[in-house]
Amino acid sequence: MKITTDSGIEINELYTAKNNILRENSLPGEFPFTRGVQASMYRGKLWTMRQYAGFSTAEESNKRYHYLLSQGVSGLSVAFDLPTQIGYDSDHELADGEVGKVGVAIDSIEDMERLFEGINLEEVSTSMTINATGFILLAFYVALAKKQGADLKKISGTIQNDILKEYAARGTYIYPPKPSMRIITDIFQWCSTNVPKWNTISISGYHIREAGSTAVQEIAFTLSNGKAYVKAALEKGLDINVFGKRLSFFFNAHNNLFEEVAKFRAARRMWAKIMKDLGTTDEKAMMLRFHTQTGGSTLTAQQPLNNICRVTIQTLAAVMGGTQSLHTNGYDEALSLPTEEAAKIALRTQQIVAYESGAPDTVDPLAGSYFVESLTDEVEKAAWQLIEKIDILGGSVSAIEQGFMQDEIAASAYQYQKDIESGAKTSVGVNKFVTAESYKTPVFKIDESIQKMQVDKLTILKQKRDNAAVKVCLQNIAASAKGTDNLMPLVVTAVEHFCTLGEIADVLRREYGEYS
């Protein structure tokens, strides 16, 4: 009987030393970092436990953040609503019905202030899942830190800022690829001097996987996108040994425990080699540091409590694969945004793995396993084959413009769904071990009045601010967009003068156009 991983890699019935020819015998913290980016891994410091949260208004999300911090979260992870993600203020006609629904609505520096009220930005690490408007949200955050009197050299966190995967898999892009890449490299350049502890990009395989890719496609497409960002930064004249240290990655963790561990190990080894080939000489700039989120697309609306078991397996995969930070999904997320109870259970899952399972007690605990070492090699080999195809097409930007990545992901997603519907792949509670549902899981709902509240705040803001100063700020951004000067200082100044997210995004819409 033939058994394969989710990526189609055939699994032998038995693995022995014959299957396991070690190609390198590196230690953790040493090139090519197969075994981890830190010598002591979790014995030195546990991974950062983040909980991705954001909904409704800034005030409501702020309450959830204070709750999570009180429960032992060590880093915040902000979810933004769709209008914020695609550069529309809450009073825009296209924002109607979406304000505060899948994340928090942030229109201005005032909203950012409400979002982090009572939270010292020097003391928390903040991850923001934002891409097309990432430069504006970063400006809000920096402006708020300055207002708090924080030392910008000490504030830490990450903006996702990965536009290529938006074209390939997720869809929340605004501008065409080339001007989008210009904005991203402006962020790299500005942050390296002004906020040196900030991770300027989180190159994301997560959404590629959520769109239906396999594990192999996830790392191949993600690392290829990473290569494109590095090349764009080099063309701008940036030092790879400096900006390379601030690159981070964001991966998914699914249910096939051993394939996921092999994926993380292979990705580290591959990225180290990619960076070395691109000219990196500082080993710290060759390290693949990554955040993991458990697989949203693996959660089922049927028998939702089963999702707690799935998230536990995925948590173990991330930890045994050597993640630097982790978000665990709520069991109810196939039905709604997570309730407070579901978010607490998700966090407790991480804490139980951290403090009770023994998984973090030694570095790379599955190293030397005939199966895992062989599977790491197989995943790497298959991923290189895909990267070579992308390189032949001219790299990630060109491959995306030609639809290659999109077609590969769509074919994989289609095959997966066919396998579920035919029963070739088992999903417990969905196509096997099905029972009549005898209880209703409580769901989290966003009040429709949120939109009016947010629009009213915007109206008041626009009445009380210095609109002549706003006009000058927006004109300066437009002039800079036509040239080559870095956009970030002007955007920070604009948000300090109460320019809104939508106004700044619209200036660049007029200059760059919209991608379709």
Side-chain angles (χ1 to χ4, degrees), residues 81 240 320 333:
D81 71 357
I240 194 169
M320 291 195 287
E333 288 189 52

Side-chain angles (χ1 to χ4, degrees), residues 163-184:
I163 204 66
L164 292 179
K165 67 93 178 46
E166 295 296 328
Y167 303 118
R170 191 164 172 266
T172 64
Y173 46 75
I174 304 174
Y175 317 113
K178 286 185 176 62
S180 293
M181 294 293 275
R182 178 255 170 104
I183 294 169
I184 287 167

Side-chain angles (χ1 to χ4, degrees), residues 45-64:
K45 183 188 175 187
L46 284 174
W47 63 92
T48 302
M49 297 184 194
R50 298 188 185 279
Q51 284 305 111
Y52 184 48
F55 54 89
S56 180
T57 61
E59 292 89 342
E60 287 301 310
S61 292
N62 176 263
K63 289 177 191 171
R64 177 67 67 90

Side-chain angles (χ1 to χ4, degrees), residues 497-516:
H497 284 86
F498 303 100
C499 294
T500 68
L501 172 127
E503 288 169 336
I504 295 167
D506 281 347
V507 167
L508 297 186
R509 274 190 179 92
R510 289 190 287 274
E511 296 303 324
Y512 295 147
E514 290 188 83
Y515 184 72
S516 60

Side-chain angles (χ1 to χ4, degrees), residues 52 129 160 162 165 169-170 202-213 218 222 249-254 263 291-299 314 327 329 333:
Y52 184 48
T129 303
Q160 193 164 99
D162 174 9
K165 67 93 178 46
R170 191 164 172 266
S202 178
I203 305 157
S204 175
Y206 185 84
H207 306 92
I208 289 169
R209 193 71 177 279
E210 288 296 283
S213 83
E218 180 188 354
T222 306
F249 288 79
F250 175 23
F251 289 121
N252 214 311
H254 274 216
K263 176 189 81 178
H291 169 69
T292 309
Q293 182 173 336
T294 56
S297 61
T298 68
L299 305 180
Q314 294 161 12
H327 163 85
N329 288 338
E333 288 189 52

Side-chain angles (χ1 to χ4, degrees), residues 174-386:
I174 304 174
Y175 317 113
K178 286 185 176 62
S180 293
M181 294 293 275
R182 178 255 170 104
I183 294 169
I184 287 167
T185 53
D186 277 3
I187 292 168
F188 287 179
Q189 186 178 49
W190 185 83
C191 286
S192 66
T193 304
N194 294 278
V195 276
K197 289 181 73 176
W198 196 267
N199 295 320
T200 50
I201 193 167
S202 178
I203 305 157
S204 175
Y206 185 84
H207 306 92
I208 289 169
R209 193 71 177 279
E210 288 296 283
S213 83
T214 65
V216 165
Q217 288 170 335
E218 180 188 354
I219 61 167
F221 297 162
T222 306
L223 298 185
S224 183
N225 289 348
K227 210 159 98 170
Y229 292 124
V230 171
K231 285 183 174 179
L234 288 170
E235 285 168 15
K236 200 178 179 78
L238 303 184
D239 185 343
I240 194 169
N241 288 318
V242 176
F243 74 78
K245 293 174 190 171
R246 299 323 311 168
L247 304 177
S248 65
F249 288 79
F250 175 23
F251 289 121
N252 214 311
H254 274 216
N255 293 329
N256 192 316
L257 177 69
F258 297 108
E259 183 177 43
E260 294 300 297
V261 172
K263 176 189 81 178
F264 297 132
R265 298 174 89 248
R268 270 194 298 271
R269 188 156 74 199
M270 293 172 73
W271 184 246
K273 291 173 182 175
I274 287 169
M275 287 297 275
K276 193 170 187 178
D277 289 346
L278 288 169
T280 317
T281 54
D282 187 332
E283 286 201 353
K284 287 188 176 175
M286 300 176 194
M287 292 178 178
L288 183 145
R289 297 168 300 115
F290 65 98
H291 169 69
T292 309
Q293 182 173 336
T294 56
S297 61
T298 68
L299 305 180
T300 64
Q302 301 92 328
Q303 301 177 25
L305 290 175
N306 293 348
N307 293 329
I308 297 173
C309 306
R310 294 184 177 102
V311 170
T312 304
I313 292 167
Q314 294 161 12
T315 301
L316 280 166
V319 170
M320 291 195 287
T323 194
Q324 275 60 69
S325 76
L326 179 62
H327 163 85
T328 34
N329 288 338
Y331 69 85
D332 54 359
E333 288 189 52
L335 300 164
S336 71
L337 290 171
T339 59
E340 198 167 282
E341 182 204 18
K344 182 167 74 174
I345 291 170
L347 176 60
R348 293 291 181 259
T349 302
Q350 290 200 52
Q351 291 165 334
I352 289 167
V353 169
Y355 297 104
E356 297 185 23
S357 74
D361 292 350
T362 188
V363 184
D364 194 17
L366 294 179
S369 153
Y370 298 142
F371 177 37
V372 171
E373 294 291 358
S374 178
L375 193 51
T376 301
D377 288 349
E378 290 290 328
V379 168
E380 181 180 3
K381 179 182 169 186
W384 280 129
Q385 288 169 352
L386 269 178

